[in-house]
């Protein structure tokens, strides 16, 4: 059986093999959730970039600029990083995006054989795809916050471990820890995350609606992947 491992923050990626694996990148609050929601509701492609300045060449080609730093919309950009911004972007369907952690986590997965973007919003679709189609080792990369652990991403990793436990070998302690946390949290993700750092930060920025939305499970059924540098529906 292939292995399913969890990398709790992009800072720890040096301890894992990326090459040859299927990577699931998650950033529940909010980059991964916004990507999934946007592509489920009409966006055609999202170009992830690490630096604000990298967005300009895509903007010149007609892409909307989306992103945040520390949760706050980047000055001059058309969209922030709220899933509601992404769902309201039409008639433009192409977006270039840069965020504090999510797009950086995507960058560390560059050498993988396959990259999937996962969120609670499309949890079951991601799990079913991995169960039915993937025979190589899988690594879940949690975007975290500025290199540190974040609870919401770890809970998503735990949810995947729970759904995939019979199909993949789960042997790393990070995956066991994620699974144990998810077991404790699963009946009330919102309540469990009441004191999570980025939930508090987003609440302070008046994004309560985003927090609740990002914790909805299986609202969408699109599988979001990276194809030739763009995030698209598979
Ligand atoms: C990130 O990439 O750090 C985030 O998605 C932050 C946010 O906008 O909530």
């Amino acid at each position: 059986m292939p292995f399913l491992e969890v990398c709790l923050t992009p800072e720890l990626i040096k301890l894992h093999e990326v090459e040859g694996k299927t990577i699931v990148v998650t950033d529940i609050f909010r980059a991964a959730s916004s990507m999934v929601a946007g592509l489920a509701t009409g966006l055609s492609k999202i170009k992830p970039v690490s630096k604000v300045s990298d967005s300009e060449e895509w903007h010149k080609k007609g892409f909307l600029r989306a992103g945040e730093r520390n949760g706050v919309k980047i000055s001059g950009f058309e969209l922030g990083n709220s899933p509601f911004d992404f769902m309201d972007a039409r008639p433009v369907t192409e977006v270039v995006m840069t965020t504090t952690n999510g797009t950086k986590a995507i960058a560390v997965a560059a050498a993988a054989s396959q990259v999937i973007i996962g969120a609670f919003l499309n949890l079951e679709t991601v799990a079913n795809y991995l169960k039915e189609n993937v025979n190589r080792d899988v690594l879940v990369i949690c975007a975290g916050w500025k290199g540190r652990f974040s609870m919401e991403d770890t809970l998503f990793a735990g949810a995947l471990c729970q759904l995939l436990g019979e199909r993949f070998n789960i042997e790393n302690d990070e995956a066991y820890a994620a699974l144990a946390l998810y077991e404790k949290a699963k009946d009330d993700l919102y309540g469990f995350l009441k004191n999570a750092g980025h939930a508090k930060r987003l609440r302070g920025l008046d994004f309560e609606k985003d927090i609740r939305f990002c914790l909805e499970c299986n609202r969408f059924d699109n599988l979001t992947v990276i194809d030739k540098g763009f995030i698209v529906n598979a």
Side-chain angles (χ1 to χ4, degrees):
M1 274 206 291
F3 286 90
L4 171 60
E5 294 192 333
V6 176
C7 174
L8 292 173
T9 91
E11 291 290 307
L12 296 172
I13 199 67
K14 54 185 175 292
L15 306 176
H16 297 267
E17 283 295 324
V18 169
E19 228 167 290
K21 290 190 177 161
T22 288
I23 304 285
V24 181
V25 175
T26 193
D27 183 4
I28 295 300
F29 297 150
R30 294 165 294 171
S33 302
S34 295
M35 292 165 186
V36 170
L39 287 163
T41 56
L43 291 188
S44 60
K45 57 167 83 155
I46 300 170
K47 176 70 188 171
V49 296
S50 296
K51 290 192 284 182
V52 173
S53 56
D54 294 339
S55 61
E56 290 313 316
E57 66 166 294
W58 296 98
H59 186 47
K60 283 189 195 125
K61 293 178 188 159
F63 285 54
L64 294 179
R65 293 164 297 181
E68 55 66 46
R69 286 296 178 267
N70 299 315
V72 177
K73 179 177 172 183
I74 295 166
S75 161
F77 273 25
E78 291 71 36
L79 312 176
N81 187 32
S82 166
F84 297 100
D85 289 3
F86 280 63
M87 291 190 290
D88 279 349
R90 280 175 299 169
V92 179
T93 66
E94 297 175 331
V95 168
V96 56
M97 175 177 194
T98 178
T99 71
T100 311
N101 307 287
T103 51
K104 294 205 173 91
I106 288 173
V108 305
S113 293
Q114 181 183 31
V115 182
I116 295 171
I117 308 297
F120 284 114
L121 292 170
N122 69 347
L123 169 64
E124 219 164 75
T125 301
V126 172
N128 287 341
Y129 173 79
L130 293 170
K131 219 186 268 178
E132 287 156 23
N133 299 285
V134 174
N135 287 311
R136 59 171 87 86
D137 293 343
V138 173
L139 176 65
V140 184
I141 301 181
C142 300
W145 183 259
K146 298 188 178 176
R148 301 178 72 160
F149 172 95
S150 81
M151 189 68 92
E152 62 278 7
D153 299 340
T154 307
L155 292 180
F156 173 79
L160 272 186
C161 291
Q162 192 203 54
L163 292 167
L164 296 172
E166 286 173 13
R167 172 65 174 67
F168 290 84
N169 261 317
I170 295 179
E171 283 190 5
N172 86 332
D173 278 11
E174 290 92 328
Y176 283 132
L179 185 54
L181 281 171
Y182 178 69
E183 287 290 346
K184 223 170 152 45
K186 66 181 178 202
D187 295 331
D188 179 17
L189 291 175
Y190 178 83
F192 194 85
L193 288 165
K194 193 169 56 169
N195 293 317
H198 196 40
K200 287 201 277 194
R201 186 177 301 105
L202 288 174
R203 205 167 285 125
L205 294 167
D206 219 7
F207 285 124
E208 178 68 29
K209 199 173 153 200
D210 289 22
I211 297 172
R212 291 196 180 265
F213 184 82
C214 294
L215 295 177
E216 280 184 40
C217 289
N218 307 317
R219 184 181 179 112
F220 301 118
D221 62 2
N222 53 321
L223 180 73
T224 43
V225 299
I226 302 206
D227 186 22
K228 300 180 188 77
F230 292 97
I231 304 162
V232 294
N233 286 325

